Amino acid sequence: MSTASEKSLYQRLGGYDAIAAATDDLLQRVTSDPEIGIYWRGHSTDSMKRDRQLVVDFLCQATGGPVIYRGRDMKTSHVGLNISERDWQIFVAHTVATLEKFDVPEKEKQEFLACAGSLKGEIVEKP
């Protein structure tokens, strides 16, 4: 994602602490959303903590950070949830709102959204 002279997206986003804070904000948004929050209903507090850490680790690694994601691949993690195109669009809107809340510059925002968008085929199961 970056050239030798350019900092990684991880660094440009502010590193681990910034990604963890943005993850907390995003998870609050999606879990409380009336349409897509259903995907987290019934999760224990401990399960939510584990999910949160997996998301942080995934995002750090995906953006070029020195973190190793030890979770399942996106297809395995989402198969059977029947996530729809509408669900995806709601998730993206929450992601954009989080990026804007943290004043992520446009270049980094678009790079992050492109990275997330590359996973859509592994997550969305129905139109």
Side-chain angles (χ1 to χ4, degrees):
M1 271 191 232
S2 62
T3 64
S5 63
E6 182 181 24
K7 290 182 179 182
S8 68
L9 180 57
Y10 171 85
Q11 292 168 314
R12 290 179 282 134
L13 290 172
Y16 188 92
D17 290 343
I19 290 172
T23 298
D24 290 339
D25 181 79
L26 179 59
L27 286 175
Q28 175 59 40
R29 290 173 190 272
V30 297
T31 59
S32 63
D33 185 277
E35 290 187 58
I36 66 172
I38 190 168
Y39 295 112
W40 290 272
R41 280 199 198 123
H43 285 208
S44 68
T45 301
D46 185 62
S47 291
M48 287 303 298
K49 286 179 183 179
R50 178 165 162 58
D51 287 353
R52 180 242 186 223
Q53 191 61 55
L54 285 169
V55 171
V56 170
D57 291 350
F58 180 84
L59 293 176
C60 287
Q61 180 177 316
T63 58
V67 176
I68 298 172
Y69 170 70
R70 288 183 161 74
R72 297 175 302 220
D73 63 87
M74 291 299 105
K75 182 74 169 176
T76 301
S77 296
H78 295 89
V79 72
L81 292 175
N82 295 314
I83 295 173
S84 69
E85 176 65 29
R86 177 162 171 74
D87 296 335
W88 176 261
Q89 292 305 321
I90 292 168
F91 173 79
V92 170
H94 286 305
T95 302
V96 169
T98 293
L99 294 169
E100 289 174 354
K101 176 182 176 179
F102 286 89
D103 297 319
V104 173
E106 190 63 27
K107 177 184 177 193
E108 285 73 18
K109 183 180 355 175
Q110 292 307 316
E111 194 173 333
F112 184 87
L113 292 171
C115 182
S118 72
L119 301 170
K120 180 179 175 183
E122 299 176 43
I123 295 171
V124 174
E125 292 184 288
K126 61 184 193 176

